[in-house]
Amino acid sequence: MEPVTLTADDGLVLRPWRAEDVPAVLDALRDPAVARWNPPYSPSPDLAVAADWVARRADWSGDEHASLAIRAAGTDELLGSVSLFRIDRVHDNAEMGYWVAAGARGRGVAATAVRALTDWSFTTLGLARVQLFHAVENPASCRVAEKAGYRLEGTARRSYRYGDGVLHDEHLHGRLATDPAD
Ligand SMILES: CC(C)(COP(=O)(O)OP(=O)(O)OC[C@H]1O[C@@H](n2cnc3c(N)ncnc32)[C@H](O)[C@@H]1OP(=O)(O)O)[C@@H](O)C(=O)NCCC(=O)NCCS
């Protein structure tokens, strides 16, 4: 796949990752909440780690992920990250992940971006289902899932070792292409 740029609601633009994003990504990877609740990337991220993080997400050639930077239209400020990953063309499903920079939280950025990338995965990739997991102790992420139309489907017990090194219970949320738009 070639990376795409998507226009989302509320003046958000989801665009391919670029090398110029590396310093802002390093700040985000060092944010305590991202380090705790997103997949642990490195215990002590530096510029090389952030550059590798960006390069992997800018390269869609393996067809297994579609990862985009969240920006406000007309500005260069990086607001966050949204990623469709584990794209499985046998079962036509994938998983969704996201973070939002600390200064941009609480104004709907994550839910709007997740909804836009999910809609694209259904209409353009033809996926049937997208699912996401979050730690039960991360209620903000649970709310993002609900607002983006992902139904709570259950709790996976001690299913993922987060950045604190502890195995946490996780909520599984799923959204189907056939779910009614709300
Ligand atoms: C979780 C995260 C992505 C949310 O991003 P965001 O852009 O602030 O999300 P939104 O503004 O779209 O929605 C957040 C919702 O959570 C709610 N919320 C925030 N903190 C909460 C808390 N402690 N308890 C309950 N709800 C909470 C907000 O009120 C909001 O809901 P509302 O719109 O109904 O008021 C962001 O906080 C983040 O990056 N956190 C650290 C990394 C992380 O958790 N990533 C997700 C891993 S699964």
Side-chain angles (χ1 to χ4, degrees), residues 1 63-66 84-89 93-94 125 127:
M1 282 188 291
D63 290 345
E64 83 281 11
H65 77 91
L84 190 74
F85 62 104
R86 294 203 180 112
I87 297 173
D88 181 334
R89 300 320 307 247
N93 62 33
L125 297 187
L127 296 189

Side-chain angles (χ1 to χ4, degrees), residues 15 19 21 26 31 39 51 126 136 169:
R15 64 124 173 94
D21 298 320
L26 179 56
D31 174 80
V136 169
D169 292 354

